[in-house]
PDB file of all heavy atoms in Angstrom:
ATOM      1  N   ALA A 176     309.534 293.472   5.504  1.00 98.00           N
ATOM      2  CA  ALA A 176     308.427 292.510   5.507  1.00 98.00           C
ATOM      3  C   ALA A 176     308.817 291.236   6.242  1.00 98.00           C
ATOM      4  O   ALA A 176     308.019 290.674   7.020  1.00 98.00           O
ATOM      5  CB  ALA A 176     308.018 292.192   4.075  1.00 98.00           C
ATOM      6  N   THR A 177     310.044 290.745   6.029  1.00 98.00           N
ATOM      7  CA  THR A 177     310.493 289.510   6.675  1.00 98.00           C
ATOM      8  C   THR A 177     310.542 289.674   8.191  1.00 98.00           C
ATOM      9  O   THR A 177     310.106 288.786   8.940  1.00 98.00           O
ATOM     10  CB  THR A 177     311.877 289.092   6.142  1.00 98.00           C
ATOM     11  OG1 THR A 177     311.854 289.062   4.712  1.00 98.00           O
ATOM     12  CG2 THR A 177     312.261 287.720   6.664  1.00 98.00           C
ATOM     13  N   MET A 178     311.061 290.801   8.644  1.00 98.00           N
ATOM     14  CA  MET A 178     311.125 291.052  10.093  1.00 98.00           C
ATOM     15  C   MET A 178     309.729 291.060  10.705  1.00 98.00           C
ATOM     16  O   MET A 178     309.491 290.469  11.760  1.00 98.00           O
ATOM     17  CB  MET A 178     311.838 292.373  10.383  1.00 98.00           C
ATOM     18  CG  MET A 178     313.328 292.353  10.193  1.00 98.00           C
ATOM     19  SD  MET A 178     314.157 293.796  10.913  1.00 98.00           S
ATOM     20  CE  MET A 178     314.195 293.348  12.661  1.00 98.00           C
ATOM     21  N   HIS A 179     308.811 291.747  10.050  1.00 98.00           N
ATOM     22  CA  HIS A 179     307.453 291.843  10.589  1.00 98.00           C
ATOM     23  C   HIS A 179     306.737 290.496  10.544  1.00 98.00           C
ATOM     24  O   HIS A 179     306.052 290.116  11.502  1.00 98.00           O
ATOM     25  CB  HIS A 179     306.652 292.889   9.814  1.00 98.00           C
ATOM     26  CG  HIS A 179     306.976 294.296  10.219  1.00 98.00           C
ATOM     27  ND1 HIS A 179     306.342 294.923  11.278  1.00 98.00           N
ATOM     28  CD2 HIS A 179     307.865 295.198   9.731  1.00 98.00           C
ATOM     29  CE1 HIS A 179     306.827 296.154  11.419  1.00 98.00           C
ATOM     30  NE2 HIS A 179     307.757 296.340  10.484  1.00 98.00           N
ATOM     31  N   MET A 180     306.894 289.751   9.455  1.00 98.00           N
ATOM     32  CA  MET A 180     306.198 288.475   9.326  1.00 98.00           C
ATOM     33  C   MET A 180     306.706 287.447  10.338  1.00 98.00           C
ATOM     34  O   MET A 180     305.943 286.613  10.825  1.00 98.00           O
ATOM     35  CB  MET A 180     306.352 287.939   7.905  1.00 98.00           C
ATOM     36  CG  MET A 180     305.630 288.783   6.859  1.00 98.00           C
ATOM     37  SD  MET A 180     306.003 288.277   5.160  1.00 98.00           S
ATOM     38  CE  MET A 180     305.002 286.777   5.039  1.00 98.00           C
ATOM     39  N   LEU A 181     307.993 287.513  10.655  1.00 97.00           N
ATOM     40  CA  LEU A 181     308.577 286.592  11.632  1.00 97.00           C
ATOM     41  C   LEU A 181     308.573 287.169  13.044  1.00 97.00           C
ATOM     42  O   LEU A 181     309.074 286.544  13.977  1.00 97.00           O
ATOM     43  CB  LEU A 181     310.004 286.220  11.227  1.00 97.00           C
ATOM     44  CG  LEU A 181     310.123 285.291  10.016  1.00 97.00           C
ATOM     45  CD1 LEU A 181     311.559 285.219   9.527  1.00 97.00           C
ATOM     46  CD2 LEU A 181     309.606 283.900  10.353  1.00 97.00           C
ATOM     47  N   GLU A 182     308.030 288.390  13.181  1.00 96.00           N
ATOM     48  CA  GLU A 182     307.910 289.070  14.483  1.00 96.00           C
ATOM     49  C   GLU A 182     309.266 289.197  15.175  1.00 96.00           C
ATOM     50  O   GLU A 182     309.425 288.868  16.350  1.00 96.00           O
ATOM     51  CB  GLU A 182     306.905 288.327  15.372  1.00 96.00           C
ATOM     52  CG  GLU A 182     305.508 288.276  14.772  1.00 96.00           C
ATOM     53  CD  GLU A 182     304.523 287.500  15.635  1.00 96.00           C
ATOM     54  OE1 GLU A 182     304.981 286.696  16.488  1.00 96.00           O
ATOM     55  OE2 GLU A 182     303.316 287.685  15.459  1.00 96.00           O
ATOM     56  N   MET A 183     310.242 289.675  14.425  1.00 97.00           N
ATOM     57  CA  MET A 183     311.594 289.875  14.941  1.00 97.00           C
ATOM     58  C   MET A 183     311.786 291.328  15.373  1.00 97.00           C
ATOM     59  O   MET A 183     311.513 292.245  14.598  1.00 97.00           O
ATOM     60  CB  MET A 183     312.630 289.527  13.862  1.00 97.00           C
ATOM     61  CG  MET A 183     312.629 288.076  13.443  1.00 97.00           C
ATOM     62  SD  MET A 183     313.276 287.021  14.752  1.00 97.00           S
ATOM     63  CE  MET A 183     313.266 285.411  13.931  1.00 97.00           C
ATOM     64  N   ASP A 184     312.240 291.525  16.596  1.00 97.00           N
ATOM     65  CA  ASP A 184     312.471 292.881  17.102  1.00 97.00           C
ATOM     66  C   ASP A 184     313.789 293.465  16.623  1.00 97.00           C
ATOM     67  O   ASP A 184     313.936 294.688  16.547  1.00 97.00           O
ATOM     68  CB  ASP A 184     312.443 292.890  18.634  1.00 97.00           C
ATOM     69  CG  ASP A 184     311.068 292.565  19.180  1.00 97.00           C
ATOM     70  OD1 ASP A 184     310.070 292.911  18.514  1.00 97.00           O
ATOM     71  OD2 ASP A 184     310.995 291.960  20.262  1.00 97.00           O
ATOM     72  N   GLU A 185     314.750 292.589  16.319  1.00 97.00           N
ATOM     73  CA  GLU A 185     316.055 293.051  15.846  1.00 97.00           C
ATOM     74  C   GLU A 185     316.707 291.967  15.014  1.00 97.00           C
ATOM     75  O   GLU A 185     316.297 290.806  15.018  1.00 97.00           O
ATOM     76  CB  GLU A 185     316.976 293.454  17.011  1.00 97.00           C
ATOM     77  CG  GLU A 185     317.442 292.312  17.870  1.00 97.00           C
ATOM     78  CD  GLU A 185     318.441 292.729  18.940  1.00 97.00           C
ATOM     79  OE1 GLU A 185     318.577 293.934  19.206  1.00 97.00           O
ATOM     80  OE2 GLU A 185     319.078 291.836  19.522  1.00 97.00           O
ATOM     81  N   LEU A 186     317.728 292.371  14.286  1.00 97.00           N
ATOM     82  CA  LEU A 186     318.523 291.433  13.505  1.00 97.00           C
ATOM     83  C   LEU A 186     319.997 291.746  13.695  1.00 97.00           C
ATOM     84  O   LEU A 186     320.364 292.836  14.138  1.00 97.00           O
ATOM     85  CB  LEU A 186     318.143 291.490  12.019  1.00 97.00           C
ATOM     86  CG  LEU A 186     318.282 292.812  11.261  1.00 97.00           C
ATOM     87  CD1 LEU A 186     319.711 293.048  10.789  1.00 97.00           C
ATOM     88  CD2 LEU A 186     317.346 292.846  10.069  1.00 97.00           C
ATOM     89  N   VAL A 187     320.831 290.767  13.365  1.00 97.00           N
ATOM     90  CA  VAL A 187     322.280 290.915  13.438  1.00 97.00           C
ATOM     91  C   VAL A 187     322.827 290.853  12.016  1.00 97.00           C
ATOM     92  O   VAL A 187     322.400 290.020  11.212  1.00 97.00           O
ATOM     93  CB  VAL A 187     322.914 289.799  14.290  1.00 97.00           C
ATOM     94  CG1 VAL A 187     324.421 290.012  14.412  1.00 97.00           C
ATOM     95  CG2 VAL A 187     322.270 289.732  15.658  1.00 97.00           C
ATOM     96  N   LEU A 188     323.760 291.738  11.702  1.00 96.00           N
ATOM     97  CA  LEU A 188     324.341 291.758  10.359  1.00 96.00           C
ATOM     98  C   LEU A 188     325.537 290.811  10.271  1.00 96.00           C
ATOM     99  O   LEU A 188     326.324 290.689  11.217  1.00 96.00           O
ATOM    100  CB  LEU A 188     324.793 293.171   9.991  1.00 96.00           C
ATOM    101  CG  LEU A 188     323.690 294.222   9.868  1.00 96.00           C
ATOM    102  CD1 LEU A 188     324.300 295.598   9.615  1.00 96.00           C
ATOM    103  CD2 LEU A 188     322.715 293.872   8.751  1.00 96.00           C
ATOM    104  N   SER A 189     325.650 290.141   9.154  1.00 96.00           N
ATOM    105  CA  SER A 189     326.805 289.277   8.884  1.00 96.00           C
ATOM    106  C   SER A 189     327.458 289.722   7.584  1.00 96.00           C
ATOM    107  O   SER A 189     326.781 289.897   6.565  1.00 96.00           O
ATOM    108  CB  SER A 189     326.377 287.808   8.761  1.00 96.00           C
ATOM    109  OG  SER A 189     327.441 287.011   8.269  1.00 96.00           O
ATOM    110  N   GLU A 190     328.765 289.893   7.612  1.00 94.00           N
ATOM    111  CA  GLU A 190     329.503 290.251   6.405  1.00 94.00           C
ATOM    112  C   GLU A 190     329.904 289.016   5.610  1.00 94.00           C
ATOM    113  O   GLU A 190     330.473 289.131   4.531  1.00 94.00           O
ATOM    114  CB  GLU A 190     330.747 291.073   6.772  1.00 94.00           C
ATOM    115  CG  GLU A 190     330.402 292.455   7.325  1.00 94.00           C
ATOM    116  CD  GLU A 190     331.633 293.286   7.646  1.00 94.00           C
ATOM    117  OE1 GLU A 190     332.691 292.689   7.925  1.00 94.00           O
ATOM    118  OE2 GLU A 190     331.537 294.517   7.621  1.00 94.00           O
ATOM    119  N   ARG A 191     329.626 287.835   6.148  1.00 94.00           N
ATOM    120  CA  ARG A 191     329.948 286.597   5.446  1.00 94.00           C
ATOM    121  C   ARG A 191     328.677 285.972   4.879  1.00 94.00           C
ATOM    122  O   ARG A 191     327.639 285.966   5.538  1.00 94.00           O
ATOM    123  CB  ARG A 191     330.650 285.612   6.377  1.00 94.00           C
ATOM    124  CG  ARG A 191     332.048 286.072   6.764  1.00 94.00           C
ATOM    125  CD  ARG A 191     332.860 284.959   7.383  1.00 94.00           C
ATOM    126  NE  ARG A 191     334.265 285.336   7.487  1.00 94.00           N
ATOM    127  CZ  ARG A 191     335.248 284.480   7.764  1.00 94.00           C
ATOM    128  NH1 ARG A 191     334.991 283.204   7.945  1.00 94.00           N
ATOM    129  NH2 ARG A 191     336.498 284.899   7.840  1.00 94.00           N
ATOM    130  N   ALA A 192     328.778 285.440   3.673  1.00 94.00           N
ATOM    131  CA  ALA A 192     327.603 284.864   3.019  1.00 94.00           C
ATOM    132  C   ALA A 192     328.033 283.814   1.995  1.00 94.00           C
ATOM    133  O   ALA A 192     328.849 282.942   2.299  1.00 94.00           O
ATOM    134  CB  ALA A 192     326.763 285.964   2.382  1.00 94.00           C
ATOM    135  N   LEU A 193     327.521 283.916   0.769  1.00 95.00           N
ATOM    136  CA  LEU A 193     327.712 282.885  -0.250  1.00 95.00           C
ATOM    137  C   LEU A 193     329.179 282.619  -0.572  1.00 95.00           C
ATOM    138  O   LEU A 193     329.616 281.462  -0.619  1.00 95.00           O
ATOM    139  CB  LEU A 193     326.961 283.285  -1.520  1.00 95.00           C
ATOM    140  CG  LEU A 193     327.145 282.378  -2.744  1.00 95.00           C
ATOM    141  CD1 LEU A 193     326.665 280.971  -2.462  1.00 95.00           C
ATOM    142  CD2 LEU A 193     326.416 282.954  -3.950  1.00 95.00           C
ATOM    143  N   ARG A 194     329.963 283.658  -0.805  1.00 95.00           N
ATOM    144  CA  ARG A 194     331.355 283.449  -1.219  1.00 95.00           C
ATOM    145  C   ARG A 194     332.160 282.761  -0.124  1.00 95.00           C
ATOM    146  O   ARG A 194     332.956 281.853  -0.389  1.00 95.00           O
ATOM    147  CB  ARG A 194     331.984 284.790  -1.622  1.00 95.00           C
ATOM    148  CG  ARG A 194     331.384 285.344  -2.899  1.00 95.00           C
ATOM    149  CD  ARG A 194     331.838 286.754  -3.187  1.00 95.00           C
ATOM    150  NE  ARG A 194     331.390 287.730  -2.218  1.00 95.00           N
ATOM    151  CZ  ARG A 194     330.136 288.206  -2.153  1.00 95.00           C
ATOM    152  NH1 ARG A 194     329.217 287.752  -2.975  1.00 95.00           N
ATOM    153  NH2 ARG A 194     329.813 289.121  -1.267  1.00 95.00           N
ATOM    154  N   GLU A 195     331.952 283.211   1.121  1.00 95.00           N
ATOM    155  CA  GLU A 195     332.632 282.549   2.234  1.00 95.00           C
ATOM    156  C   GLU A 195     332.128 281.112   2.383  1.00 95.00           C
ATOM    157  O   GLU A 195     332.884 280.216   2.783  1.00 95.00           O
ATOM    158  CB  GLU A 195     332.404 283.331   3.525  1.00 95.00           C
ATOM    159  CG  GLU A 195     333.122 284.672   3.587  1.00 95.00           C
ATOM    160  CD  GLU A 195     332.429 285.772   2.802  1.00 95.00           C
ATOM    161  OE1 GLU A 195     331.296 285.549   2.320  1.00 95.00           O
ATOM    162  OE2 GLU A 195     333.010 286.871   2.656  1.00 95.00           O
ATOM    163  N   GLY A 196     330.850 280.901   2.051  1.00 94.00           N
ATOM    164  CA  GLY A 196     330.313 279.544   2.075  1.00 94.00           C
ATOM    165  C   GLY A 196     330.982 278.644   1.064  1.00 94.00           C
ATOM    166  O   GLY A 196     331.176 277.442   1.306  1.00 94.00           O
ATOM    167  N   LEU A 197     331.353 279.187  -0.097  1.00 95.00           N
ATOM    168  CA  LEU A 197     332.086 278.406  -1.098  1.00 95.00           C
ATOM    169  C   LEU A 197     333.445 277.961  -0.557  1.00 95.00           C
ATOM    170  O   LEU A 197     333.880 276.827  -0.791  1.00 95.00           O
ATOM    171  CB  LEU A 197     332.279 279.231  -2.373  1.00 95.00           C
ATOM    172  CG  LEU A 197     331.036 279.475  -3.227  1.00 95.00           C
ATOM    173  CD1 LEU A 197     331.331 280.516  -4.312  1.00 95.00           C
ATOM    174  CD2 LEU A 197     330.565 278.172  -3.865  1.00 95.00           C
ATOM    175  N   ILE A 198     334.122 278.859   0.161  1.00 95.00           N
ATOM    176  CA  ILE A 198     335.412 278.506   0.770  1.00 95.00           C
ATOM    177  C   ILE A 198     335.206 277.436   1.837  1.00 95.00           C
ATOM    178  O   ILE A 198     335.941 276.429   1.899  1.00 95.00           O
ATOM    179  CB  ILE A 198     336.081 279.753   1.390  1.00 95.00           C
ATOM    180  CG1 ILE A 198     336.285 280.852   0.344  1.00 95.00           C
ATOM    181  CG2 ILE A 198     337.399 279.373   2.050  1.00 95.00           C
ATOM    182  CD1 ILE A 198     337.241 280.500  -0.763  1.00 95.00           C
ATOM    183  N   PHE A 199     334.220 277.640   2.692  1.00 91.00           N
ATOM    184  CA  PHE A 199     333.926 276.690   3.773  1.00 91.00           C
ATOM    185  C   PHE A 199     333.592 275.319   3.206  1.00 91.00           C
ATOM    186  O   PHE A 199     334.060 274.276   3.695  1.00 91.00           O
ATOM    187  CB  PHE A 199     332.750 277.238   4.594  1.00 91.00           C
ATOM    188  CG  PHE A 199     332.571 276.613   5.944  1.00 91.00           C
ATOM    189  CD1 PHE A 199     333.083 277.212   7.082  1.00 91.00           C
ATOM    190  CD2 PHE A 199     331.870 275.429   6.082  1.00 91.00           C
ATOM    191  CE1 PHE A 199     332.898 276.638   8.332  1.00 91.00           C
ATOM    192  CE2 PHE A 199     331.686 274.847   7.323  1.00 91.00           C
ATOM    193  CZ  PHE A 199     332.202 275.452   8.455  1.00 91.00           C
ATOM    194  N   ASP A 200     332.766 275.302   2.152  1.00 88.00           N
ATOM    195  CA  ASP A 200     332.374 274.041   1.515  1.00 88.00           C
ATOM    196  C   ASP A 200     333.587 273.345   0.891  1.00 88.00           C
ATOM    197  O   ASP A 200     333.730 272.112   0.982  1.00 88.00           O
ATOM    198  CB  ASP A 200     331.312 274.334   0.448  1.00 88.00           C
ATOM    199  CG  ASP A 200     330.729 273.073  -0.155  1.00 88.00           C
ATOM    200  OD1 ASP A 200     330.176 272.255   0.602  1.00 88.00           O
ATOM    201  OD2 ASP A 200     330.842 272.899  -1.383  1.00 88.00           O
ATOM    202  N   TRP A 201     334.473 274.111   0.267  1.00 92.00           N
ATOM    203  CA  TRP A 201     335.692 273.550  -0.309  1.00 92.00           C
ATOM    204  C   TRP A 201     336.557 272.908   0.779  1.00 92.00           C
ATOM    205  O   TRP A 201     337.099 271.816   0.583  1.00 92.00           O
ATOM    206  CB  TRP A 201     336.473 274.646  -1.030  1.00 92.00           C
ATOM    207  CG  TRP A 201     337.740 274.175  -1.687  1.00 92.00           C
ATOM    208  CD1 TRP A 201     337.888 273.717  -2.963  1.00 92.00           C
ATOM    209  CD2 TRP A 201     339.050 274.116  -1.098  1.00 92.00           C
ATOM    210  NE1 TRP A 201     339.200 273.370  -3.209  1.00 92.00           N
ATOM    211  CE2 TRP A 201     339.938 273.612  -2.084  1.00 92.00           C
ATOM    212  CE3 TRP A 201     339.560 274.445   0.147  1.00 92.00           C
ATOM    213  CZ2 TRP A 201     341.291 273.425  -1.835  1.00 92.00           C
ATOM    214  CZ3 TRP A 201     340.913 274.251   0.404  1.00 92.00           C
ATOM    215  CH2 TRP A 201     341.767 273.756  -0.591  1.00 92.00           C
ATOM    216  N   MET A 202     336.657 273.590   1.933  1.00 89.00           N
ATOM    217  CA  MET A 202     337.453 273.056   3.034  1.00 89.00           C
ATOM    218  C   MET A 202     336.878 271.736   3.547  1.00 89.00           C
ATOM    219  O   MET A 202     337.620 270.809   3.871  1.00 89.00           O
ATOM    220  CB  MET A 202     337.525 274.086   4.168  1.00 89.00           C
ATOM    221  CG  MET A 202     338.342 275.325   3.834  1.00 89.00           C
ATOM    222  SD  MET A 202     338.266 276.590   5.131  1.00 89.00           S
ATOM    223  CE  MET A 202     339.115 275.740   6.478  1.00 89.00           C
ATOM    224  N   MET A 203     335.560 271.635   3.598  1.00 84.00           N
ATOM    225  CA  MET A 203     334.938 270.381   4.040  1.00 84.00           C
ATOM    226  C   MET A 203     335.182 269.265   3.026  1.00 84.00           C
ATOM    227  O   MET A 203     335.505 268.131   3.390  1.00 84.00           O
ATOM    228  CB  MET A 203     333.438 270.581   4.253  1.00 84.00           C
ATOM    229  CG  MET A 203     333.101 271.421   5.483  1.00 84.00           C
ATOM    230  SD  MET A 203     331.370 271.269   5.985  1.00 84.00           S
ATOM    231  CE  MET A 203     330.535 271.909   4.538  1.00 84.00           C
ATOM    232  N   ARG A 204     335.045 269.588   1.752  1.00 82.00           N
ATOM    233  CA  ARG A 204     335.230 268.570   0.721  1.00 82.00           C
ATOM    234  C   ARG A 204     336.679 268.075   0.646  1.00 82.00           C
ATOM    235  O   ARG A 204     336.933 266.931   0.287  1.00 82.00           O
ATOM    236  CB  ARG A 204     334.787 269.117  -0.638  1.00 82.00           C
ATOM    237  CG  ARG A 204     333.267 269.218  -0.769  1.00 82.00           C
ATOM    238  CD  ARG A 204     332.830 269.592  -2.170  1.00 82.00           C
ATOM    239  NE  ARG A 204     333.032 271.001  -2.465  1.00 82.00           N
ATOM    240  CZ  ARG A 204     333.950 271.487  -3.275  1.00 82.00           C
ATOM    241  NH1 ARG A 204     334.807 270.677  -3.864  1.00 82.00           N
ATOM    242  NH2 ARG A 204     334.047 272.781  -3.499  1.00 82.00           N
ATOM    243  N   LYS A 205     337.625 268.965   0.986  1.00 84.00           N
ATOM    244  CA  LYS A 205     339.039 268.608   0.928  1.00 84.00           C
ATOM    245  C   LYS A 205     339.558 268.006   2.239  1.00 84.00           C
ATOM    246  O   LYS A 205     340.742 267.699   2.358  1.00 84.00           O
ATOM    247  CB  LYS A 205     339.876 269.842   0.576  1.00 84.00           C
ATOM    248  CG  LYS A 205     339.582 270.397  -0.818  1.00 84.00           C
ATOM    249  CD  LYS A 205     339.930 269.401  -1.903  1.00 84.00           C
ATOM    250  CE  LYS A 205     339.677 269.974  -3.284  1.00 84.00           C
ATOM    251  NZ  LYS A 205     339.987 269.021  -4.363  1.00 84.00           N
ATOM    252  N   GLY A 206     338.680 267.871   3.224  1.00 81.00           N
ATOM    253  CA  GLY A 206     339.077 267.232   4.470  1.00 81.00           C
ATOM    254  C   GLY A 206     339.663 268.157   5.515  1.00 81.00           C
ATOM    255  O   GLY A 206     340.111 267.693   6.569  1.00 81.00           O
ATOM    256  N   PHE A 207     339.683 269.472   5.263  1.00 82.00           N
ATOM    257  CA  PHE A 207     340.187 270.405   6.273  1.00 82.00           C
ATOM    258  C   PHE A 207     339.210 270.508   7.445  1.00 82.00           C
ATOM    259  O   PHE A 207     339.602 270.822   8.559  1.00 82.00           O
ATOM    260  CB  PHE A 207     340.393 271.798   5.675  1.00 82.00           C
ATOM    261  CG  PHE A 207     341.578 271.889   4.756  1.00 82.00           C
ATOM    262  CD1 PHE A 207     341.421 271.954   3.393  1.00 82.00           C
ATOM    263  CD2 PHE A 207     342.866 271.905   5.268  1.00 82.00           C
ATOM    264  CE1 PHE A 207     342.502 272.032   2.536  1.00 82.00           C
ATOM    265  CE2 PHE A 207     343.967 271.983   4.433  1.00 82.00           C
ATOM    266  CZ  PHE A 207     343.783 272.049   3.056  1.00 82.00           C
TER     267      PHE A 207
END
């Protein structure tokens, strides 16, 4: 439904999401 509603012909898969975002956010907060 999302693809059709946004008229997207294709999508790209990502294996990174929320958990990797927690690591990324921690790195930003710690100054890395």
Side-chain angles (χ1 to χ4, degrees):
T177 308
M178 286 194 79
H179 282 273
M180 293 172 76
L181 288 168
E182 299 178 340
M183 296 290 184
D184 294 328
E185 69 175 15
L186 59 82
V187 183
L188 295 175
S189 170
E190 292 182 334
R191 291 194 168 193
L193 175 61
R194 291 171 295 284
E195 290 79 8
L197 288 170
I198 302 295
F199 197 97
D200 187 58
W201 181 91
M202 291 174 66
M203 288 196 298
R204 286 187 284 108
K205 296 297 182 181
F207 287 105

